[in-house]
Amino acid sequence: MDQETLDHHALGLLKQYRDVLVESFAPRDADGVPEIRTLAQSTDPLEIAALKDIELLDVVIGAMSGQVVRHSI
């Protein structure tokens, strides 16, 4: 497998992992849509860890995609 294919698969896995974290730890609004809270809004240690991972994943995914990511978590 060449490097470009590996990078493509790695990026896909990182995006999937981020989606799983959001689905697992983000509270839902009235319509059932996950809403990512800020670190200041969260008191649950698992949610705080998930938020930190989501923030880091956003930076890595952005870098791998050639995008600049500014975060407010």
Side-chain angles (χ1 to χ4, degrees):
M1 196 177 297
D2 64 41
Q3 188 63 46
E4 185 176 339
T5 303
L6 286 172
D7 290 348
H8 177 73
H9 287 299
L11 183 58
L13 288 170
L14 290 170
K15 288 178 179 180
Q16 286 178 347
Y17 178 53
R18 184 200 184 279
D19 291 344
V20 167
L21 285 174
V22 170
E23 288 295 323
S24 298
F25 292 100
R28 308 228 174 233
D29 67 12
D31 296 324
V33 177
E35 289 187 330
I36 298 176
R37 297 193 285 190
T38 65
L39 288 172
Q41 294 171 317
S42 180
T43 58
D44 176 46
L46 287 176
E47 183 183 3
I48 291 170
L51 288 171
K52 289 178 180 181
D53 284 353
I54 290 166
E55 181 176 28
L56 182 56
L57 284 164
D58 284 346
V59 171
V60 172
I61 290 167
M64 290 180 73
S65 302
Q67 302 170 355
V68 175
V69 177
R70 292 188 180 93
H71 233 289
S72 61
I73 290 181

